[in-house]
Amino acid sequence: MATVPALLRRELGGAFTAVEPGGESANPEAVLPPHSVLTEHLIDEPGQPTRAAPDQVLDLLRTRLLERDQDPVVNA
């Protein structure tokens, strides 16, 4: 059975970017097994891989959305 990131890679190709810092980086106090750095698995401290991951996601969204807003074809 394919993992969610593998399925998204297959279906979306280059339009999908996975941000997967690894389970060993997750907040050890979380109730559920590691699955998302945007929820309880975030360790919100400088230098933590799970702190860098949301920043990477936000940078990606900012870049993609700003590029889209500046594309004359999209805004026509």
Side-chain angles (χ1 to χ4, degrees), residues 6-31:
L7 175 67
L8 292 171
R9 276 187 200 95
R10 187 183 77 220
E11 295 297 319
L12 301 174
F16 174 73
T17 301
V19 178
E20 303 173 279
E24 69 281 352
S25 303
N27 183 351
E29 297 175 14
V31 176

Side-chain angles (χ1 to χ4, degrees), residues 55 57-68:
D55 292 340
V57 170
L58 292 172
D59 288 343
L60 176 69
L61 290 173
R62 222 178 268 115
T63 301
R64 298 254 174 110
L65 292 174
L66 288 176
E67 286 175 359
R68 182 170 182 236

Side-chain angles (χ1 to χ4, degrees), residues 34-74:
H35 71 283
S36 175
V37 296
L38 302 177
T39 59
E40 68 177 333
H41 296 100
L42 170 68
I43 299 175
D44 196 5
E45 297 174 3
Q48 289 290 334
T50 58
R51 176 64 256 163
D55 292 340
Q56 185 180 352
V57 170
L58 292 172
D59 288 343
L60 176 69
L61 290 173
R62 222 178 268 115
T63 301
R64 298 254 174 110
L65 292 174
L66 288 176
E67 286 175 359
R68 182 170 182 236
D69 286 345
Q70 295 171 7
D71 186 343
V73 174
V74 172

